[in-house]
Amino acid sequence: MPHIIRTLSACAILLLGISCTDNPGLETRDSIAAPGEAGRPFPNAPEIAPIGVRIDKYLDLPDGAKGPGLDPKKGYRTEKLGRDLYMVTDNSYQSMFMVYETGVVVVDAPPTYATKLNEAIAEVTKLPITHIVYSHSHADHIGGTGSLDLSHNPVIVAHDETKMLLARDADPARPVPTVTFQNTYSLEVGSHVLKLSYHGNGHEPGNIFIDAPEQETLMVVDVVFPGWMPFRRLAVSQDIPGWLSQVEKIEKLPFKKLVTGHVTRLGTREDVKTQIEFDDDLKAVVGEALKSNAYVDGINPADMGNTWALVDDYTARVAVQCVTTLTRKWKSRLGGFDTFVWDNCYAMEQSLRVD
Ligand SMILES: [Zn+2]
């Protein structure tokens, strides 16, 4: 039974001039849900459906969230970024490869299309894969490494932290790096160079910047989402202040093309600026909601001894204010705004309270 209907007291009914005997079963809309079940919505509940509620039709994607199409037969698209440097994407994930005089460097191998990466490379060159660079340890970006042609025993380059995480994970699809670095590493192959650098924890320890200076291309994964809402819980970042500062750091670097590991197209400096604007709005709105909502307000007195209930109710009111305020400005500017706005409000709320 989803709801228990609370009836007005006889006294209240008499005050309303209604006879109790005439209406013995009178029920009101002043209802309260069973313990643990959804109750009445908060005042000013946002139009965006909360987490866990099925949506019949998500918001339409704005033009800025759309990218070039894919060849449906291939299921991937290869885009040239500059001399000998290519992006491969399935319009959800992105990776790169660079061809040099005697081999190929692959940067990331998302499992969603890694079996086709060998094909994509073969369309450009017959040279073997001699190097692999991991942007970070997450399986959704490098878990297709085991599907690549590894017959030439490629050198695998990554950050020290990535090696530690992969040694722990012992996943045959993500072989442990053979060359690691702490701050910077210059991968020089033939006439080409990739400059790798580490800027501390953000999305996860070991997530690096990969710069191809000649091609004016920068690859940083899971930090900027060109034209789109950041992935849920601010890209499941382990250090949100670090992640926010990396978005600002990217904006200051001299790139023309940004490979972000996700969604439909290359990123631009304008995309980074837009994300900084969104991040700043999110931070300001949550900061204001944390101050303007009382910690205990309208809670059922029977829950006063339940510390987690007090936190949850307060957090939910902050999130409601956050979602309502952001929706006005952002719902038609970012692809998938409705998918992760609740998660991102909750993530920022948590970060501003504890970081
Ligand atoms: Zn990741």
Side-chain angles (χ1 to χ4, degrees):
M1 186 168 115
H3 289 81
I4 293 170
I5 304 299
R6 188 167 66 188
T7 56
L8 284 176
S9 70
C11 176
I13 293 167
L14 287 170
L15 282 171
L16 290 167
I18 303 166
S19 158
C20 292
T21 49
D22 288 344
N23 299 280
L26 178 70
E27 291 176 336
T28 78
R29 300 183 75 83
D30 182 20
S31 62
I32 187 164
E37 291 189 343
R40 288 158 294 171
F42 288 108
N44 305 316
E47 63 190 90
I48 305 297
I51 295 167
V53 171
R54 173 173 276 173
I55 293 171
D56 285 336
K57 171 68 182 79
Y58 287 92
L59 289 172
D60 292 335
L61 292 178
D63 288 343
K66 295 170 187 166
L70 296 179
D71 177 345
K73 275 186 236 129
K74 285 187 183 173
Y76 65 87
R77 170 163 57 84
T78 305
E79 195 167 326
K80 191 164 186 181
L81 303 172
R83 181 172 74 98
D84 297 331
L85 184 66
Y86 300 84
M87 176 175 78
V88 184
T89 179
D90 61 359
N91 276 354
S92 174
Y93 283 88
Q94 299 168 345
S95 60
M96 296 198 305
F97 69 91
M98 174 180 264
V99 183
Y100 68 97
E101 285 73 2
T102 55
V104 175
V105 182
V106 174
V107 186
D108 282 1
T112 53
Y113 60 82
T115 53
K116 294 172 179 167
L117 255 179
N118 295 317
E119 242 173 80
I121 295 168
E123 285 169 7
V124 175
T125 179
K126 299 292 175 229
L127 290 168
I129 297 171
T130 57
H131 297 75
I132 296 169
V133 176
Y134 290 158
S135 65
H136 65 304
S137 80
H138 282 161
D140 64 322
H141 290 275
I142 64 166
T145 302
S147 308
L148 298 176
D149 177 1
L150 305 177
S151 55
H152 285 70
N153 285 325
V155 172
I156 303 180
V157 187
H159 190 264
D160 291 336
E161 296 271 7
T162 300
K163 182 177 183 176
M164 278 170 54
L165 291 165
L166 292 176
R168 177 201 68 183
D169 294 347
D171 176 3
R174 290 176 288 161
V176 173
T178 50
V179 171
T180 64
F181 67 97
Q182 200 175 3
N183 297 317
T184 58
Y185 185 85
S186 189
L187 177 59
E188 287 164 23
V189 283
S191 60
H192 282 297
V193 64
L194 287 178
K195 291 187 172 297
L196 316 183
S197 59
Y198 186 54
H199 304 269
N201 193 8
H203 173 60
E204 79 152 356
N207 196 25
I208 58 172
F209 289 23
I210 300 147
D211 183 25
E214 183 193 323
Q215 293 81 2
E216 299 176 301
T217 298
L218 178 69
M219 178 167 173
V220 184
V221 172
D222 287 339
V223 176
V224 175
F225 296 82
W228 288 72
M229 188 67 167
F231 188 72
R232 69 168 13 118
R233 289 201 294 116
L234 297 174
V236 288
S237 291
Q238 295 183 23
D239 184 319
I240 286 172
W243 182 84
L244 292 168
S245 74
Q246 285 178 18
V247 182
E248 292 176 357
K249 194 167 275 184
I250 289 168
E251 203 267 322
K252 293 184 177 71
L253 294 176
F255 67 89
K256 289 218 172 111
K257 295 158 200 161
L258 185 65
V259 178
T260 57
H262 273 293
V263 304
T264 50
R265 61 173 174 82
L266 283 172
T268 63
R269 190 170 308 281
E270 208 47 47
D271 291 320
V272 184
K273 285 184 180 156
T274 300
Q275 185 164 325
I276 291 170
E277 186 185 344
F278 174 79
D279 293 346
D280 287 349
D281 277 2
L282 175 65
K283 197 170 172 181
V285 164
V286 172
E288 172 56 30
L290 284 166
K291 274 191 250 155
S292 61
N293 283 275
Y295 183 63
V296 176
D297 185 17
I299 193 96
N300 188 330
D303 283 325
M304 282 302 288
N306 182 341
T307 302
W308 280 182
L310 301 183
V311 172
D312 184 53
D313 182 75
Y314 174 64
T315 307
R317 282 181 282 118
V318 169
V320 161
Q321 186 169 324
C322 172
V323 174
T324 302
T325 311
L326 290 180
T327 299
R328 286 181 216 126
K329 176 169 170 186
W330 289 98
K331 79 168 184 178
S332 53
R333 276 187 75 184
L334 295 178
F337 173 83
D338 48 345
T339 56
F340 300 138
V341 64
W342 283 97
D343 277 303
N344 288 338
C345 284
Y346 278 109
M348 183 59 85
E349 187 274 344
Q350 181 71 6
S351 173
L352 288 187
R353 277 199 310 118
V354 303
D355 287 328

